[in-house]
Amino acid sequence: MSKHDKNALIYLDNNATTELDPLVIEAMLGELRRGPSNPSSQHAAGQQSRRRLDEAMESIAELLGTRVNEPGSSRLVFTSGGTEANNLALRSLRGGTGPLITSLIEHPSVLAVAQSEERRGRPVHYLPVDRDGVVNLERLAECLGEYPTRATVVSIMSANNESGVIQPIERISQMCRSAGVALHIDATQSIAKMPLRLDALAASAITLTPHKFHGPVGVGALWVAAGEELEPQMLGGQQQLGTRPGTEPLPLVVGMAQATRLGIERLTHSAAFMASLRDDFETTLFTQFPELVIHGRSVQRLPNTSYVSFVGANRQSMLMALDLAGIACSSGSACTSGSSPPSHVLRAMGAGAAEVDSAIRFGVSRLTVKEDMARAIEIISRCYKRLRHTRNVEN
């Protein structure tokens, strides 16, 4: 984000959203300059738009290890983003009425749906996690044994948006397949950060959204396996086989395709680069302040994520101080951080009050400037030294 200007913003909130890659902007501008585009229109311009939409869709699918737009194949349903895709999956997979099994550390767009469904009388089970934030597979097996019905839906994220902890998705997929139940994976944090082939996951549905990997906000997709049917949650058009009506946002989909291409082609290098930034960041801070708690450090994490408890300081005070000093970070999910409630993820992990009350998430990206990280560490250290002695404990 910074261009070596010592007064420029240091953006370390890349789990929430990312900077648009300049090549993505170019691709979107090229589409916008073409003029009006409605892939549903029957005239020549509309049919040209349809071809470009199909090409973008097929490009995304191929890059992510799947095939679409063929008889009997899986498909991509474009949505307004990850939240809508998660809602669509949970409310419509396998009829949307059977038992729902999810975990205590899911994104709010999953947990809020689960809680809403539970109030309506749908059986919902929340899987616990261990101290490192990994889903308890023994409890999952028990739940699958209790509800061995095709209508059951399991929804687990591939990697946590706060801690970055990677979940045992392959094992979860095997368990769901053996039980004959549907598996929905929220993979929004994983694309372009770790190897992920959609067909190989053998799920029923997978959520993805490009603004987590330098693509545009306002578009996402739900990958749906061959043979799976979805109940539309919106009415008013026949786009996308009626599953998600509304004019497809072609410029955004083109931007998504370009972001996917760049993210997958550069994955090996960018993952190593981000992990190096993260590890240097954590090591330097922990050397200075051994009392810091780095969550999920002992298990596999996304290469870009650091979730740190600045024990003795208050997270709100730290966030405000860092913001004033030119560092953008967060205390958890961007969908809830406006009011900054205590992290449901850390509480599920069994973290103590002192750790929960002082936790801040930092997320780098492949566009992060390496030189900025040294300045970030200096600012964070200075703020922590000051605030840990003037702690304002939340009531």
Side-chain angles (χ1 to χ4, degrees), residues 65 101 111 152 159 177 186 191 241 273 292 326 351 366 374 386:
I101 302 170
L111 289 177
T152 298
R177 213 163 48 245
D186 178 358
I191 305 296
L241 302 179
F273 172 71
L292 298 184
R366 64 176 171 81
R386 174 167 56 87

Side-chain angles (χ1 to χ4, degrees), residues 19 113 132 172 182 188 354:
E19 178 182 0
V113 175
D132 292 314
I172 291 171
T188 54

